[in-house]
Amino acid sequence: MYVALEKLLDGSQLATIRSALASASFSEGASTAGWYGKSVKKNLQAQHDACSRIVHEAALRHPMFRAAAQPNVILPPLFSRYVPGMEYGVHVDDAIMGAQGAVRADLAMTVFLSDPSTYDGGELVVELHSAPLKFKMAAGDAILYPATSLHRVDQVTRGERLVSVLWIQSLVQEASRREILFDLFNLRRKLWERTGQTKTPESDLAARSYVNLMRMWAKP
Ligand SMILES: O=C(O)CCC(=O)C(=O)O
Ligand SMILES: [Fe+2]
C-alpha cells in the first residue's frame, strides 16, 4: 500500500527545518550504510534532533499516517540531501534497524522538503514487476511505502533535493492486514461524513469490526 500524505508539514515547520538544516553538518550517506547499501548510496545525510522532533510529531498528528501505518515505533527521522550527480541506487531497506537493533522496519516514509520546481531528477522510484512507481511531491507532502520494496532515488541533475526519511515498526506486521484496517478506518470516516453523525447502527458495526480486528492483529 502506497499512501500519499498531503501537508504533513506546514509552511512554518518547513521553513524552520530548512533553515536549521542549512547550517547542519551533513556527512556521506554511504558511511551509515551497510556493505549492501554502500555501493549504491551517493547522498549526504544528517541527524538533527530538533528537526527530527518536528517531523516525528507532525507524523503522529496526521490521521492518515496513524491509520495507514498503525505505528508502534517510529525511528528518529533522518535528513538527506542530494545535489547534482547524487542518487541512491536500487536497494531494499534493512529489516532490523535502530541503535539497539531492536526495531523492525515495516514501512518507510519520505517527507519531501524541497519545492519540486527547484530541482530536476530525484524521483523516488519503486521498482514493481510491471511499471515503476515514481514519486516527486510538493514540499511538506510525504509518501508512506512498504520497506519491503526494491526502490531507488534517481540522480539529481539540477538544484537540491532535501528530504526526511524515516522507518516505522507497525503494530500490525502484515501489510494485507494493515490494508484491511485502513479500508475500515476510511469506511468509518466516510460514513461519518455522509451522515454527519458520529453514531449510527452502521457506524457502530463498522467500529466493532475495526476495533476487533485490531484486537486480533495488533501486537504492541
Ligand atoms: O530519499 C528517499 O526518498 C528514499 C531514500 C531511501 O531509499 C533510503 O534512505 O533508504
Ligand atoms: Fe531505501
Side-chain angles (χ1 to χ4, degrees), residues 88 91-93 145 151 167:
Y88 196 162
H91 66 281
V92 61
D93 296 336
Y145 61 101
H151 56 278
W167 289 269

Side-chain angles (χ1 to χ4, degrees), residues 30 35-43 87-91 153:
W35 63 269
Y36 169 76
K38 241 185 202 19
S39 61
V40 289
K41 191 172 182 185
K42 298 185 183 75
N43 65 3
E87 63 187 0
Y88 196 162
V90 175
H91 66 281
V153 177

Side-chain angles (χ1 to χ4, degrees), residues 5-218:
L5 302 168
E6 282 180 14
K7 298 190 170 47
L8 189 102
L9 298 173
D10 63 25
S12 93
Q13 292 166 322
L14 272 175
T16 305
I17 292 175
R18 283 180 186 149
S19 89
L21 292 181
S23 55
S25 88
F26 280 76
S27 50
E28 293 287 333
S31 65
T32 60
W35 63 269
Y36 169 76
K38 241 185 202 19
S39 61
V40 289
K41 191 172 182 185
K42 298 185 183 75
N43 65 3
L44 298 167
Q45 211 155 41
Q47 281 180 292
H48 192 291
D49 292 348
C51 293
S52 223
R53 232 177 352 259
I54 293 175
V55 175
H56 183 120
E57 284 168 10
L60 277 181
R61 268 198 305 273
H62 201 293
M64 283 296 175
F65 171 82
R66 286 205 308 272
Q70 300 289 356
N72 184 9
V73 184
I74 302 177
L75 285 167
L78 298 172
F79 298 90
S80 304
R81 172 180 281 157
Y82 295 73
V83 294
M86 292 187 176
E87 63 187 0
Y88 196 162
V90 175
H91 66 281
V92 61
D93 296 336
D94 281 345
I96 304 296
M97 296 186 182
Q100 274 79 43
V103 178
R104 187 189 61 240
D106 295 316
L107 292 153
M109 183 156 82
T110 295
V111 186
F112 293 83
L113 302 174
S114 304
D115 186 324
S117 67
T118 62
Y119 65 100
D120 290 333
E123 286 86 357
L124 168 64
V125 184
V126 181
E127 302 271 344
L128 298 177
H129 297 291
S130 49
L133 280 177
K134 298 193 175 200
F135 300 99
K136 183 170 182 175
M137 299 172 70
D141 289 358
I143 181 75
L144 182 66
Y145 61 101
T148 51
S149 66
L150 278 174
H151 56 278
R152 66 173 196 270
V153 177
D154 274 349
Q155 189 171 105
V156 167
T157 55
R158 175 187 65 93
E160 174 188 282
R161 175 190 193 259
L162 196 59
V163 293
S164 179
V165 290
L166 57 144
W167 289 269
I168 301 115
Q169 177 173 311
S170 179
L171 288 164
V172 181
Q173 182 178 0
E174 223 178 273
S176 57
R177 292 179 173 176
R178 279 199 306 273
E179 193 161 347
I180 292 171
L181 290 165
F182 189 55
D183 281 349
L184 281 173
F185 168 87
N186 284 315
L187 172 67
R188 292 177 69 190
R189 211 169 45 97
K190 282 177 194 299
L191 279 174
W192 172 68
E193 278 169 7
R194 165 110 47 101
T195 62
Q197 290 173 277
T198 46
K199 264 186 68 59
T200 60
E202 293 80 8
S203 72
D204 281 346
L205 281 174
R208 183 168 175 233
S209 296
Y210 175 80
V211 169
N212 286 335
L213 284 174
M214 269 302 277
R215 212 185 313 274
M216 245 191 315
W217 291 339

